[in-house]
Structures are given as structure tokens and as C-alpha cells.
Amino acid sequence: MKTDPDANTVTHPEGQGRNPESRPVSVETVPASSSWTKAEPASLMEAVTASQNMQQAYRKVVANQGAPGADGMTVQQLADHLKQHWPTLRERLLAGEYHPSPIRAVEIPKPKGGTRQLGIPTVTDRLIQQALLQVLTPRFDLGFSESSYGYRPQRSAQQAVSAMKAHVTAGHRWVVDLDLEAFFDRVNHDLLMARVARRVRDTRVLRLIRRYLEAGMFQHGLTTPRKQGTPQGGPLSPLLANILLDDVDKELERRGHRFCRYADDVQVYVKSRRAGDRVMASLSDFLENSLRLTVNRDKSAVDRPWNRGYLGYTLTRHKLARLTITKASMQRIMQRLREILKRGRGRNIRRVIEELTPVLRGWASYFSLVDVRRPLEALDRWIRRRLRCLIWRQWKRPRTRRRKLLALGLNEHRAWKSAGNGRGPWWNAGALHIRHALPNRWFAQQGMISVLDTARGLSRSS
């Protein structure tokens, strides 16, 4: 991407196919002395709408793809839209007169049951929010707690998990596990904006953020106004959540507690149940009275760390705690793999493995911190058995099964006996004859990765 400093335009290189990022996108600047007279003298909005910042935001939005918002515009249509409307859009932003479009409401299933409502802004609003995020993050992030890990530069869930293990290993073997009920739906706008205003003086930016908070939810053809909450789905929401919950971090630091926070997932580590009960009571009061957030009493608890999961991980009971995987995380990956394997019936096994591989590689990468081999070994065995079951179903007839088993190296008698045993596919998938015919090395030759080996290799390289 090249920038013409004289025209202050965004120009994408030609000859890179028909991707939206390959088309020229003009974001010409508008002189500050435009016909709009309500612009504030502060310069933060100028930084938001600067050509280089908007280029970066455009690339990010295009890379993230995402569904259309309430106006139906796709990411692929954004370039043409900006060519035509960017000068006016920028002028309105600089004047503090831009009003976001309603947010499209989408229900998605929660991992533990129920649904969660996401709010999908229009592509244009995602672009503006991303531009705001890029300018605001440096202003706020340096002041955030070292124990805050969610949605921050150079921070990750794995760092939070490592910190959790370190706290428990240091002797803090009780955990105060706080669950904030519908956090993103309960954020108080006035409290949040007061905290944003601590570091933002440009009233145009403050008005724009509040308008994003108050933008109505569009669902079933109707727009419902919102008086609280910051909808999940927009680029700006995670930063706003961190800004509000930074007060919790500072309060815990003031009290000298060890803790980890990833977005609204908060765990505090203490040395006794009595201390945990005190922290639970006082912290619940702080959240409800100072931040007007609701603690879910049913899901929150003071317990041993190995009885509570954190970001998909949990710990063993050993004196030197070891990281392992929660049962819920195992169940979720198995359900996702079942869905892929169901689609694989009748397809070439290599195609199925190609679809499985990126899912397994990403999952193994996330869980590369585990110290316990057994869950990964069990998952590897389960996947290979599911694949053998799929292949056995594809062979269908005893005659076909006999021919395939012979081709894979079984002798005549064993191939005939196995092909006509009358047992079901799942039983055969675990039987010796199919494991001899389709050993682990056969799957490796087809491109199948081992979750255990992948996680171990990533762990050693990190």
C-alpha cells in the first residue's frame, strides 16, 4: 500500500487480483477550515482520521472479514464505498457530527449452553472503531495492570494461564473465581465514559464513543435503543471493557492480592478459604457498588484451583501443580471434530484430514502449555478411531472390506473373517484388524498430525 503525501490518499497496488484491498481507496483529507464549524480545537480526532491510521484500520477490517452489519454492506464493497463517501465521512467525524448506524444483533451459542448476543456494526463503523482503537490503545494500555491479559498488545491467554500456575505454585492454593453476569450487557455508560474522559480530552472523540455505546440494536426489522452495555462484536468493545475493569485491577493491586484477569474472567489467588471468603465478599461489594456490575453468585466460588477451570486450562492437585485441560475444553473440541467428520462421509479421507488439520493445529497451539500428556494422547487415539470408523463405513460391503484389507496387508483368512464379522463400525474401528491395516503411520502418510506431538513441539520451541 502506498501513500501519496501530497494528495493524502490511500492507494493500493494494482495487479493483485480482485480482493478489496487491491483496489484504490481514496481517503482524501478535508481542510480543517471546512464548512462544518463545530470541530473542537483538540487534535485526537485528527489523529484518528489521519491517512496512515485509516490505511492501517482498513487493512485490519479487510483481513478480519466478518459478516455485514444492518446496512448489508460487505467488506468487499467497502473500497468502492470509501471512494465515494470518505471525504464527507471524514468531514463529519472532524466536526463531531457523525452518528453510527444501528448494530445488527446476532445470537450465537455459548460453549456451556444458552446463547450470547453479539452486535455486528456496519463495515463503515467497524473501520471507524478500528481507527479509534489504534489511537486510543497507546493512551490507555501503558496504565493497565501487569495482571491484565485480555485483548492487549503483546498479551495473551497463555500468559494468563502461566501466571495462574505460578501463583498456585507459590503457595496460593485457593482461588476466588468471579463470574460477572452478562458483563458486556451491564456496562454503565456514564461510569465508563467518566473513565475514558480521564485520558481523552477531545470532546468529538468522547461524543463518538458514547454514540457507539448508545447505538440501537437492529433485530427482526426493529431498532431497540440501548441505555447500558457495550455490545460484543465491535473492535472497540474489548478496550472499553478493559478501561472499566482497570478499576478492579487497581483495587486488587492496592490490597496486595495476586490475580489474573482476562477481559471479564477474574481469578484471585489466596492462601486459605477464610481469606478467599473475605475477598469474595469485599470484591463483590466493590463491583456492585462502585461499578454497578452484577456478580453471578451461582457460578462464582471460593475453591481449590484444580476444581475450577481458567481459559480452558486447569491444574492438578500436585504440590508442584501441573497444567492440564478441562473436561469442558475436551468436550468442545470433540464436538467440533464430530461435525467435520460427519461432513466427511463419502469424501476422500485426505480431504477430511485437510479440513481437520488447521483446527487441530490451532487447538494444539493454544494448549501447548499443558504438562499432562494423557488428555492429548487420548484425543489422538479418539480422532484416529473416528477416522477408521469413517473409512469402515465408506467400504460398506463385506466384499469391498475384504479387498481393502487385503490391499492394506492383512492375510486372506484374517481379511475374510474381519470383513464379515457382523460388528458395527465403531467396534471395528477399535479392533486389532483395522488398527493393523490402518496404523498410526498410515494416517501420518495421509497428512494427519498428532495433537500431542504438535503441542509438544510448539512447547519446546517457545
Side-chain angles (χ1 to χ4, degrees), residues 111-377:
K112 298 180 181 179
T115 59
R116 173 184 291 116
Q117 187 178 74
L118 292 187
I120 303 179
T122 63
V123 179
T124 303
D125 282 324
R126 294 209 292 271
L127 175 71
I128 297 169
Q129 285 195 35
Q130 181 63 36
L132 277 168
L133 177 68
Q134 291 165 184
V135 171
L136 293 177
T137 295
R139 286 181 168 243
F140 287 95
D141 193 75
L142 288 176
F144 287 157
S145 169
E146 287 296 313
S147 298
S148 167
Y149 297 92
Y151 307 107
R152 295 181 57 194
Q154 311 302 318
R155 294 271 168 155
S156 68
Q158 288 184 320
Q159 290 176 330
V161 170
S162 295
M164 176 261 288
K165 178 184 176 183
H167 294 324
V168 175
T169 302
H172 295 72
R173 294 169 68 84
W174 287 89
V175 62
V176 180
D177 192 358
L178 278 163
D179 183 275
L180 298 178
E181 187 172 343
F183 166 73
F184 284 92
D185 298 330
R186 301 279 178 87
V187 170
N188 182 282
H189 291 173
D190 291 335
L191 288 174
L192 173 57
M193 290 308 303
R195 282 148 181 79
V196 174
R198 291 171 182 171
R199 293 183 178 271
V200 174
R201 293 290 179 263
D202 192 326
T203 56
R204 297 166 299 174
V205 173
L206 293 172
R207 281 199 299 266
L208 182 58
I209 293 173
R210 182 175 278 277
R211 286 168 184 165
Y212 274 122
L213 291 172
E214 296 175 348
M217 297 293 284
F218 183 79
Q219 192 173 26
H220 308 304
L222 298 173
T223 300
T224 305
R226 290 187 306 115
K227 295 184 178 180
Q228 65 178 5
T230 172
Q232 297 181 72
L236 200 55
S237 292
L239 174 62
L240 296 178
N242 277 333
I243 290 171
L244 183 65
L245 291 175
D246 186 56
D247 279 21
V248 181
D249 301 341
K250 295 299 189 286
E251 179 66 15
L252 289 169
E253 288 177 342
R254 187 184 66 79
R255 300 180 187 183
H257 289 306
R258 292 177 179 240
F259 69 98
C260 293
R261 183 177 67 79
Y262 190 94
D264 59 330
D265 289 325
V266 185
Q267 286 196 343
V268 186
Y269 307 95
V270 294
K271 291 188 174 182
S272 68
R273 174 178 282 279
R274 181 178 295 180
D277 290 337
R278 287 199 303 267
V279 172
M280 174 66 80
S282 61
L283 195 56
S284 297
D285 288 343
F286 176 82
L287 287 163
E288 293 172 354
N289 296 327
S290 297
L291 299 182
R292 300 183 193 176
L293 298 172
T294 303
V295 175
N296 189 324
R297 308 284 178 173
D298 294 331
K299 294 183 179 180
S300 300
V302 178
D303 206 342
R304 293 292 195 178
W306 43 86
N307 294 330
R308 311 292 294 186
Y310 191 58
L311 303 177
Y313 284 82
T314 189
L315 291 166
T316 64
R317 296 171 180 262
H318 299 91
K319 185 173 183 180
L320 292 177
R322 302 168 68 197
L323 285 172
T324 185
I325 305 170
T326 63
K327 290 181 180 179
S329 297
M330 292 294 292
Q331 290 168 357
R332 282 196 292 271
I333 186 61
M334 291 169 74
Q335 181 56 37
R336 188 174 179 189
L337 297 176
R338 283 190 191 98
E339 293 168 0
I340 295 174
L341 291 165
K342 279 183 182 178
R343 298 196 298 268
R345 295 178 183 178
R347 293 171 60 195
N348 183 283
I349 196 67
R350 283 183 177 271
R351 293 278 185 91
V352 178
I353 289 173
E354 285 174 4
E355 191 173 353
L356 288 171
T357 298
V359 175
L360 294 175
R361 198 180 299 279
W363 190 87
S365 175
Y366 180 77
F367 286 103
S368 61
L369 296 180
V370 295
D371 303 309
V372 181
R373 297 168 56 100
R374 190 175 301 170
L376 301 179
E377 291 173 339

